[in-house]
């Protein structure tokens, strides 16, 4: 494997790596004519609820084969992977979960620490009876998946860290994360379609092209569940606020922890990721013993949606080994 493909040190090198993977700008804006239903149309995708140690946990489930668990980010939900489930279900038994406190999964009275999310993920894996799984997490989901892999190396076959990893943020990154904390608190305290849209725009490089009204309404309806907006604000404060705290970051987001990841790992980044640049992510990736890094162009914090075709191709290729 070539050095630039493993650790990408400059924007030029990153763009060259993306070009080799066949990534281009042609798909920007393609989501404007796509809905959740048309993405799932004709496929055998089930919405199921699992009892995970007393936590009613919602899952979008499809396919047969090795278990692949897709784990969304802070304030997210299973629909973050609408554009990926069907393609991945051709090769894997896909579980796109709502983490505890998110989506339509129960929101028990918890502090919503990193340990709470890791424990729920582990309990879900136990519930489905899987001895070994593949994990792909986005943002917070990447951090949760990384910690599960570190603590349970024998149970993770392959790992994908999508726009999230264990590493401290620089000052520019902290400012961008403070921005999303503020947006999250506004949405939690004054829930409207507009405040939700403003929060979701943070995820996209080209929100005017890739953020649909349907996507905004899905998040609005989830947050409009009784008491759920307040939980979202609590989670944003606990996790994103934690990343901004040096003591918390040393405990949960120090790159040195990733030396404990024993499985093959794909670090999947973007040229416009807010909060953590590709250059800084490449520094963190060096701590992972067996890793590959790829950077996608023309997307920000939701590459699995913004550049779905390219994401699916490189993601499936890595997971199939």
């Amino acid at each position: 494997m070539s050095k630039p493909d493993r650790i990408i040190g400059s924007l030029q090198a990153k763009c060259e790596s993306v070009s080799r993977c066949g990534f281009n700008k042609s798909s920007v804006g393609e989501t404007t004519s796509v809905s959740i239903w048309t993405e799932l149309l004709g496929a055998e995708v089930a919405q199921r609820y699992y009892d995970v140690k007393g936590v009613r946990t919602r899952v979008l489930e499809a396919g047969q084969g090795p278990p692949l668990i897709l784990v969304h980010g802070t304030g997210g939900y299973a629909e973050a992977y609408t554009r990926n489930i069907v393609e991945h279900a051709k090769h894997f038994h896909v579980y796109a979960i709502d983490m505890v406190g998110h989506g339509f999964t129960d929101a028990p009275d918890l502090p919503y620490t990193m340990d709470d999310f890791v424990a729920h993920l582990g309990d879900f894996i136990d519930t489905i009876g899987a001895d070994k799984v593949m994990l792909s997490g986005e943002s917070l989901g990447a951090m949760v998946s990384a910690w599960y892999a570190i603590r349970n190396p024998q149970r993770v076959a392959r790992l994908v860290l999508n726009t999230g990893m264990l590493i401290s943020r620089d000052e520019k990154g902290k400012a961008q994360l403070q921005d999303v904390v503020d947006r999250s608190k506004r949405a939690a305290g004054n829930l409207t379609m507009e405040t939700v849209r403003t929060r979701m725009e943070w995820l996209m490089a080209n929100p005017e092209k890739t953020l649909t009204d349907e996507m905004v309404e899905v998040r609005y309806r989830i947050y409009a569940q009784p008491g759920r907006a307040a939980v979202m604000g609590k989670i944003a404060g606990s996790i994103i606020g934690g990343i901004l705290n040096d003591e918390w970051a040393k405990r949960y987001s120090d790159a040195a922890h990733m030396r404990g990841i024993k499985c093959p790992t794909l670090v999947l980044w973007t040229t416009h990721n807010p909060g953590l640049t590709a250059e800084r992510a490449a520094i963190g990736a060096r701590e992972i013993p067996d890793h590959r890094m790829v950077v996608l162009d023309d997307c920000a914090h939701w590459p699995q949606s913004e550049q779905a075709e390219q994401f699916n191709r490189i993601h499936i290729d890595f997971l199939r080994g």
Side-chain angles (χ1 to χ4, degrees), residues 182-221:
D182 294 341
R183 293 181 189 220
S184 298
K185 288 182 176 178
R186 285 196 295 271
N190 178 31
L191 185 65
T192 66
M193 291 285 284
E194 190 54 39
T195 57
V196 170
R197 181 180 295 278
T198 298
R199 167 63 175 87
M200 294 190 74
E201 286 175 345
W202 190 89
L203 302 170
M204 311 288 185
N206 299 281
E208 70 284 356
K209 297 180 180 179
T210 56
L211 180 59
T212 67
D213 291 343
E214 181 190 43
M215 294 165 73
V216 174
E217 186 169 359
V218 166
R219 183 168 291 217
Y220 175 83
R221 290 194 181 195

Side-chain angles (χ1 to χ4, degrees), residues 160-164 266-270 292 294 296 303 311 314-315:
V160 180
L161 304 181
N162 171 14
T163 65
L266 173 64
V267 177
L268 202 157
W269 226 258
T270 73
R292 175 189 178 195
V294 174
L296 278 66
F311 177 95
I314 192 68
H315 197 253

Side-chain angles (χ1 to χ4, degrees), residues 60-132:
L60 297 182
E61 187 174 344
Q64 300 294 326
L68 166 64
I69 303 176
L70 305 175
V71 191
H72 60 76
T74 305
Y77 32 81
E79 282 80 5
Y81 293 99
T82 298
R83 306 196 69 204
N84 320 111
I85 292 171
V86 173
E87 284 302 310
H88 284 73
K90 295 175 182 177
H91 309 282
F92 312 105
H93 190 154
V94 178
Y95 302 87
I97 70 171
D98 286 346
M99 285 196 289
V100 63
H102 290 79
F104 290 99
T105 290
D106 284 348
D109 185 13
L110 295 172
Y112 292 100
T113 64
M114 181 66 69
D115 294 327
D116 290 327
F117 293 115
V118 176
H120 177 252
L121 174 60
D123 291 340
F124 176 75
I125 293 170
D126 291 342
T127 298
I128 63 174
D131 294 327
K132 204 163 192 175

Side-chain angles (χ1 to χ4, degrees), residues 14 162-163 268-274 276-278 293-303 306:
K14 290 195 291 285
N162 171 14
T163 65
L268 202 157
W269 226 258
T270 73
T271 52
H272 301 289
N273 184 57
L276 191 59
T277 64
M293 184 171 180
V294 174
V295 180
L296 278 66
D297 199 5
D298 287 321
C299 47
H301 207 57
W302 258 24
E306 296 174 275

Side-chain angles (χ1 to χ4, degrees), residues 141-163:
M143 299 177 73
V144 171
S145 297
W147 272 114
Y148 183 82
I150 291 166
R151 295 173 181 176
N152 304 274
Q154 75 285 1
R155 300 193 68 181
V156 182
R158 285 180 176 261
L159 173 67
V160 180
L161 304 181
N162 171 14
T163 65

